[in-house]
Structures are given as C-alpha cells and as structure tokens.
C-alpha cells in the first residue's frame, strides 16, 4: 500500500491545509460580494463531506481499514437529528451529541465484529453492516421509510435559532471541520497513532514488541464513526431531509473515491478530495445528465496514472519545481 | 403459509441461487487466481441482458439472441480485461475497487444513453412459455424450471472442467498459490484471461436468462453484484464448490425470508410492528448470515488457501 506519508518537506504539510482553510474562510465574503447564496450552501456541503471523508481517511489512510460501510455512520447521524426533530426535540446541543454517540456505538459494535477479519473479508463485512443499516432505515415507516424524512428547520442552539442563518451555519461547519482535522492530526502524531500506523505496516512486528492492535484499531474505528456521525448530523441540518439513500453502498463507494481522489493518508487530501468530487459532480452534471460517462473513465485514469491523488500530484509538481531551481 | 406457497418460493429461491452462482463463479475464480476485486462484474450481467435484447430485435429469435449475446458478453469482458483490468493486478485492493467502481459508473450510464432508462423486455421462447402442473393447484412457469435446469447443467459442466481437466487443475492451483504456478512456468496471465473471459460470459449468460423474467434495466447488476460478493465470501474465495453451496443458501434464505419473515415475526410481535420489522429483517437476513459466518469462520465455509 503506497503511503504518501514519506514525502519530506514538513513545511508544505502545514502550508497546504492552511491555504485550504483560508480559502474556505473567504467563501462567505465572496458569496456576499457576488450575492450568491448557492455558492455558500455548496461550499458548506463540501465541508460536510470533507468531515466525513476525513474520518474515513483517518482509518483508511493510517490504519489500512477499508470501511465499505462508512455511509452508515453518516446515515445514523442524520437519522438521529431527523428522528429527534420528528419527536419535537430540535435542540442541537441534544441532537448532535446523540448523533455522535449513536454512530459511535454502532461503530463500536460492528467494529468489534468486523476487526476479527482481514483484508477483503473486512471490506465485505463492513459492507454487510452498512447494508443492514440501510435496510433498517428503509423499514422505518414511521419516519418515511423509503421516501425519507423531511426536517422542518435546522437545530436550535440553546433554544436560539442560530443555524438557520446560512452564514452562521457555514462557520459552524468550518469550525467543526477544523476541529476534526486538528484532532485527527494530533491522534495520528500521538503514541496511539504510531501504533495504528505500525499495525498497518506489520502486524507481526507489532506483536513481537507485545502490542495487540485490536483495541487500537477498534478505538480508531469508533472515533471515525463518531466523526462521520457528526458529518451526518450536519448533512441532515444542511439538506433538512434524511433518507435511506444516504446509506446506500454507492455512497460508501463515493466516500472512498473522495479519499483516494484527494490522496490517501494525508488528512488535508481527504478535504481536497471531497471538494474535487463534489465540484466535478456539480459541474459535469450541469453539462449533461449523463456526466457519469465522463466521471467513470476519469476515475480509472486517476487510479492508473495519478497515484497519490491530488496531493500526490501537487507534491510532484512542487518536487519538480525544486529540481529546476 | 401453505405448502404450495412454500414449494413455489423454494423453487424461486433455487432460481435466484442459480443466477447468483453463475455470476459468483467468475467472480470467485478471478478473485482467487489473480487476487483481483472486480466490482464491475455485475455490469457483465447487465450487459448480457441488454445485448440479448439488442440481438433479439433484428433476429426475432430468443436462441439467436442468447448465442450472440453470450459471444458479445465474452468480447466485452475480454475488452475490459485488455484495456483496464490487466493494469491493475499488481495494485492493492483499494485501487481495484476504485477503478472498477469507475467502470460501473461508465457502463451503467452508457447503457442509459444507448437504450434509455426505461426497462426493456426480452420475450421468452414459445416452447418455454407455458406452465407445469407441479402438484395439485400449483402451476409453475416452464421457463423458470428451464432456468434452474440450465444453471444446474452449467454448474455440472463447470465442475467437470475445474476438477477433471488440465486447465481446471491450473485454475485450482492458481487459486491456492498463484506465484507458485507462475514459477512452474505457467503463463498465469494467459490463464487468467481464459478464466476472466469465461467468467464474464457466465455472468452475461445469467443476465440473458434473467431478462425475460425481470427485464433489462440500468443498474440491474449492482444489487446482484453485492449478493454475489456475499456468496463468494461465505463460500470461501476461489472455491467453486463453496460458491455453489453459498449461492443456493443465499438464494433460498433471501427468497424464503422475503415471503415468510413477516408471518414469523407476527408470532412474537403485534401485527403492526411485525409489518415494519418483517420486511427489514428479510432484507437483512443474508447480511446477518454473512456476518455470522465470517465471525466464526473468517475465511468462509470452504477456504481454498492453505496458509
């Protein structure tokens, strides 16, 4: 498994994410100047998916755990918000912790079973749990079943209707993305993160120094589930709608695509990947409803010729320039 | 739940199991021999159905459509292998998942462009369009019986090919230790092309057989692909025998679950709740089964690899 982690230049590893976050922070200004409400909503969506992609990259890029049921965590987070709202509980300080906890508990239980298996079997068993969550959601006839559930307004914060203002919502999501990013970075740099990365490289060497990676992997899996659940809660607030389609296996596939597109094993790569995916989808789908005819081959080309994704591409550009100097 | 309904649903379950086996056979061998995850195997099934519909137009004969559809499916499979897949064997599973996901997106959409999104039907041949009287008050379509028989025949042929021919021996050896087979001077890539083309043709064959029953529509392979993966994982990757048994189990569990889960849940829950829980449980049954099998036997029921 190719790791883009080996690239030197720690300075660039800080510059690129900083530039990304600065660009996000400037969007509301840009949207205000051009009077473009769509731009801000669209970038909010990008940041929400960036949170989810980040959580997947955390276990995929650093723990080599290919979760093919990651969309389930998003759906569980979203349904927590939707079901609470349906029950009259629109307080965000209740809904968000519930969403995160629900996704975390689901991750803990399914992770404990899935982590007994390896490789392809892990991919398939996470897919199975994802499908179970998906079919559970389709059977929730009290909450819309197949058709999904419309949420009447965003969550309140301490009873105040803060999030319905698009700009406030934007900054809240941006802050959450930043917090998740920093948290993942800190975890990966910690002793815990070193064990996780070591387990990816060689389990037998880890065993030789007396460490059983199971607990570390399970904890990482649960953390990723919780972050994805947070993303789901934001997504429910953003679209004011929840549906089983959030958990379909195609969605999990798309999340993996985002991580790979951005460059696996670099957290900011996941953010870039989410942005690139949604931008491509948005722009191509405006050209033609058959945009997938172009997007499918694009994916294949990226896999065949652009290993390391966008981050790898940016790094090689930089490296090339340095050689020219 | 009457005995007739049980009999009908058992036959339907066998029929789904047969279709799944035809798809899973190629998938499991490709996986076993080259360690290649081909998510695009499901679109071969869809292509089979569409190609047969396309060939039915000018020829007006189901049998001609079947034959030409199978050849065309074989050609499509080999083309995909030549253009894309052979560049991915040495990559890790993630790259394979991603690239073949791209193939799915492309072919599903290309089919929509070529044939539209509306389902297309393939008429069944006249000689198979009647019904049998299986027992008192039970009519069962001849075509469905024919499908089960055709699938069983293919399974038998496949069994003989894999366990009693030289190429079958190489395939089995490749599935348990590909590098060793290559070291013995066998061109493993050529072997793989044969396996891959054959697998693609079997999936196409399944699609053609299914077309008169379910009609051809975009994305029709996606759900069956997931089921086929469940089959090969439960059966043990690379094992034809495992795939066959797992396919029949999955077909029966899924079909019988869908017909009877609600009734069974009603025994323990009030009817309103059972109407909610039953269908969900029915959809989940096979995934629960898979999680259970993997929990107790992490490499499936009939693991091929020794070590």
């Amino acid at each position: 498994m190719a790791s883009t982690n080996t690239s030197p230049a720690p300075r660039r590893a800080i510059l690129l994410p900083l530039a990304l976050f600065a660009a996000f922070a400037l969007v509301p200004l840009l949207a205000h100047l051009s009077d473009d409400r769509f731009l801000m909503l669209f970038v909010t969506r990008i940041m929400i998916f960036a949170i989810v992609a980040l959580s997947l990259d955390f276990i995929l890029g650093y723990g080599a755990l290919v979760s093919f049921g990651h969309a389930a965590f998003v759906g569980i987070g979203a349904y927590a918000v939707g079901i609470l709202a349906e029950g009259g509980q629109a307080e965000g300080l209740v809904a968000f912790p519930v969403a995160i906890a629900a996704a975390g508990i689901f991750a803990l239980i399914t992770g404990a079973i899935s982590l007994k298996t390896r490789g392809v079997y892990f991919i398939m068993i996470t897919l199975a749990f994802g499908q179970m969550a998906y079919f559970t959601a389709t059977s929730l006839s009290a909450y819309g079943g197949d058709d999904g559930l419309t949420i009447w307004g965003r969550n309140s914060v301490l009873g105040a209707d803060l999030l319905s203002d698009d700009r406030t919502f934007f900054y809240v999501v941006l802050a959450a993305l930043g917090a998740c990013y920093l948290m993942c970075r800190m975890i990966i740099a910690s002793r815990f993160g070193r064990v996780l990365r070591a387990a990816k490289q060689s389990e037998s060497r880890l065993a030789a120094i007396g460490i059983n990676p199971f607990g570390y992997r399970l904890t990482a899996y649960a953390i990723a589930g919780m972050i994805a659940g947070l993303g789901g809660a934001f997504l429910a607030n953003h679209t004011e709608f929840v549906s089983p389609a959030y958990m379909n296996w195609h969605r999990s596939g798309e999340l993996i695509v985002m991580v790979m597109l951005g460059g696996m094993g670099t957290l900011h790569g996941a953010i870039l990947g989410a942005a690139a995916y949604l931008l491509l989808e948005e722009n191509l789908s405006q050209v033609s409803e058959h945009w997938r005819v172009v997007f499918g081959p694009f994916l294949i080309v990226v896999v065949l010729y652009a290993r390391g994704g966008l981050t790898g591409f940016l790094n090689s550009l930089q490296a090339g320039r340095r050689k020219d100097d | 739940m009457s005995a007739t309904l049980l009999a009908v649903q058992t036959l339907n379950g066998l029929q789904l199991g047969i279709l799944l086996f035809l798809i899973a056979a190629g998938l499991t061998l490709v996986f076993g021999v080259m360690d290649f995850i081909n998510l695009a195997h499901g679109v071969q099934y869809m292509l089979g159905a569409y190609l047969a519909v396309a060939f039915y137009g000018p020829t007006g004969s189901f049998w001609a459509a079947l034959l030409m559809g199978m050849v065309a499916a074989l050609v499509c499979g080999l083309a995909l292998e030549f253009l894309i897949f052979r560049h991915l064997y040495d990559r890790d599973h993630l790259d394979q998942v991603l690239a073949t996901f791209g193939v799915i997106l492309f072919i599903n959409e290309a089919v929509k462009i070529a044939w539209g999104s509306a389902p297309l039907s393939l008429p069944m041949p006249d000689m198979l369009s009647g019904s049998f009287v299986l027992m008192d008050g039970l009519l069962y379509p001849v075509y469905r019986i024919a499908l089960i028989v055709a699938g069983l025949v293919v399974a038998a042929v496949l069994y003989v090919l894999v366990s009693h021919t030289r190429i079958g021996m190489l395939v089995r050896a490749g599935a348990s230790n590909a590098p060793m087979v290559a070291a013995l001077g066998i061109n493993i890539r050529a072997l793989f092309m044969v396996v891959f083309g054959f697998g693609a043709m079997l999936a196409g064959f399944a699609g053609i057989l299914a077309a008169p029953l379910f009609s051809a529509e975009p994305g029709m392979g996606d759900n069956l692909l997931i089921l086929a993966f469940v089959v090969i994982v439960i059966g043990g990757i690379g094992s034809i025998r495992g795939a066959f048994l797992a396919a029949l189990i999955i077909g029966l569990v899924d079909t019988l679950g869908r017909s009877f889960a609600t009734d069974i849940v009603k025994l323990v829950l009030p009817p309103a709740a059972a109407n909610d829980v039953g269908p969900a449980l029915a959809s989940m049954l096979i995934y629960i089964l898979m999680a259970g099998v993997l929990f107790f036997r992490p490499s499936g029921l009939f693991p091929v690899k020794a070590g």
Side-chain angles (χ1 to χ4, degrees):
Chain A
M1 195 155 290
S3 166
T4 41
N5 238 1
T6 48
S7 86
R11 201 163 51 96
R12 196 166 63 243
I14 297 168
L15 277 181
L16 193 55
L18 268 183
L20 259 175
F21 279 103
F24 279 134
L26 284 177
V27 166
L29 185 66
L30 203 67
H32 180 69
L33 289 178
S34 57
D35 200 22
D36 187 351
R37 177 168 185 254
F38 174 77
L39 175 69
M40 199 146 76
L41 284 177
F42 181 62
V43 177
T44 309
R45 187 176 162 79
I46 287 180
M47 294 191 301
I48 293 171
F49 276 95
I51 292 176
V52 179
L54 189 71
S55 75
L56 181 60
D57 193 26
F58 175 65
I59 50 174
L60 181 60
Y62 297 93
L65 303 174
V66 187
S67 160
F68 213 139
H70 214 66
F73 305 133
V74 180
I76 289 170
Y79 265 96
V81 169
I83 290 173
L84 282 173
E86 192 76 358
Q89 177 57 270
E91 173 56 50
L93 295 185
V94 175
F96 274 75
V98 168
I100 294 170
I105 290 168
F106 182 75
L108 211 54
I109 296 169
T110 60
I113 299 171
S114 309
L115 286 167
K116 296 257 176 200
T117 62
R118 285 284 163 278
V120 174
Y121 294 97
F122 181 81
I123 300 182
M124 297 316 296
I125 202 166
T126 52
L127 172 77
F129 285 123
Q131 290 294 94
M132 287 183 211
Y134 169 73
F135 287 119
T136 307
T138 59
S139 76
L140 293 172
S141 59
Y143 301 105
D146 263 335
D147 300 326
L149 176 65
T150 302
I151 302 168
W152 307 105
R154 291 184 184 149
N155 281 136
S156 57
V157 181
L158 288 173
D161 191 14
L162 287 176
L163 297 186
S164 56
D165 175 46
D166 286 340
R167 196 180 313 183
T168 316
F169 186 57
F170 181 97
Y171 282 120
V172 170
V173 175
L174 178 60
L177 176 61
C180 291
Y181 174 78
L182 283 179
M183 188 179 83
C184 288
R185 254 187 101 123
M186 280 158 67
I187 294 176
I188 286 160
S190 71
R191 179 183 178 277
F192 176 90
R194 278 207 297 279
V195 175
L196 198 63
R197 280 179 286 154
K200 175 187 165 185
Q201 306 243 318
S202 166
E203 221 165 303
S204 42
R205 279 186 213 165
L206 206 58
I209 52 172
I211 297 174
N212 179 0
F214 180 82
Y216 293 85
R217 285 191 168 133
L218 185 57
T219 311
Y221 195 73
I223 291 173
M226 287 161 73
I227 298 177
L230 171 70
F234 277 129
L235 192 63
N237 271 288
H238 183 59
T239 54
E240 300 183 22
F241 177 70
V242 187
S243 106
Y246 287 10
M247 304 196 213
N248 191 299
W249 71 270
H250 262 261
R251 280 302 180 105
S252 297
E254 283 169 12
L255 292 173
I256 296 179
V257 170
M258 289 178 190
V259 172
M260 300 282 292
L261 205 56
M264 197 177 61
T266 61
L267 292 170
H268 55 273
I271 303 174
L272 263 181
Y277 184 90
L278 292 173
L279 277 169
L280 276 171
E281 180 184 81
E282 180 63 31
N283 287 313
L284 289 176
S285 64
Q286 275 179 4
V287 178
S288 160
E289 58 166 320
H290 298 302
W291 62 277
R292 287 186 186 86
V293 176
V294 182
F295 190 70
F298 171 73
L299 267 187
I300 299 166
V301 169
V302 167
V303 174
L304 290 181
Y305 301 109
R307 303 181 81 168
L310 284 171
T311 344
F313 178 68
L314 289 177
N315 283 346
S316 65
L317 273 188
Q318 197 95 12
R321 197 179 306 155
R322 189 153 307 157
K323 230 172 264 168
D324 293 341
D325 284 347
Chain B
M1 56 183 99
S2 65
T4 357
L5 185 58
L6 185 64
V8 168
Q9 293 301 351
T10 306
L11 283 173
N12 286 346
L14 277 178
Q15 178 206 307
L16 175 63
I18 293 286
L19 283 182
L20 281 177
F21 170 68
L22 291 177
I23 301 171
L27 200 58
T28 199
L29 287 179
V30 163
F31 208 153
V33 178
M34 291 307 278
D35 198 25
F36 177 63
I37 301 191
N38 180 16
L39 288 189
H41 196 67
V43 300
Q44 283 294 152
Y45 168 83
M46 175 184 69
L47 277 178
Y50 270 101
L51 290 167
V53 171
F55 288 123
Y56 184 82
T59 60
S61 152
F62 175 84
W63 304 108
L66 175 71
L67 199 69
M68 291 160 79
M70 278 174 72
V71 174
L74 174 70
V75 172
C76 287
L78 291 177
L80 278 178
E81 200 273 344
F82 181 76
L83 289 174
I84 301 167
F85 298 156
R86 63 172 49 189
H87 307 292
L88 293 166
Y89 300 151
D90 304 328
R91 302 293 192 85
D92 60 58
H93 286 149
L94 207 51
D95 282 355
Q96 298 166 354
V97 164
L98 198 59
T100 52
F101 189 72
V103 175
I104 298 187
L105 293 182
F106 174 76
I107 295 186
N108 273 344
E109 207 62 43
V111 161
K112 270 188 214 165
I113 294 174
W115 284 288
S117 319
L120 300 178
S121 64
L122 176 68
M124 53 181 71
D126 284 339
M127 61 178 284
L128 298 178
S129 58
S131 296
F132 277 126
V133 181
L134 276 191
M135 56 169 107
D136 259 354
L138 170 56
L139 280 176
Y140 199 75
V142 174
Y143 186 81
R144 286 172 180 262
I145 299 280
L147 195 159
I148 294 175
V149 173
L152 288 176
V153 169
V154 170
V157 170
L158 201 58
Y159 173 78
V160 173
L161 273 180
V162 169
S163 56
H164 293 290
T165 63
R166 185 178 153 75
I167 192 144
M169 179 192 73
L170 293 177
V171 168
R172 274 180 295 138
S176 36
N177 195 336
M180 183 56 84
V181 175
L184 291 174
I186 305 299
N187 185 346
I188 196 103
R189 298 243 155 156
L191 176 71
F192 178 72
M193 262 202 93
V194 173
V195 171
F196 191 89
F198 197 67
M201 196 174 70
L202 280 183
F205 178 64
I208 301 171
L209 290 186
L213 293 175
F214 310 124
S215 70
E217 52 188 327
M220 67 188 274
D222 293 5
N223 289 326
L224 276 174
L225 168 80
I226 297 298
L227 287 183
F229 265 111
V230 171
V231 162
I232 70 172
V233 164
I234 290 183
I237 288 165
S239 162
I240 285 281
R241 187 171 56 132
F244 184 70
L245 289 174
L248 292 188
I249 294 172
I250 292 292
L252 285 171
V253 166
D254 194 53
T255 310
L256 293 176
R258 279 173 208 282
S259 349
F260 301 115
T262 307
D263 288 334
I264 293 171
V265 174
K266 269 182 188 153
L267 299 177
V268 281
L269 285 179
N275 284 336
D276 257 10
V277 175
L281 188 67
S283 313
M284 275 187 251
L285 268 181
I286 55 163
Y287 297 108
I288 297 171
L289 184 69
M290 167 158 109
V293 168
L294 288 188
F295 185 75
F296 292 107
R297 306 201 49 155
S299 353
L301 295 176
F302 300 95
V304 161
K305 293 196 177 172

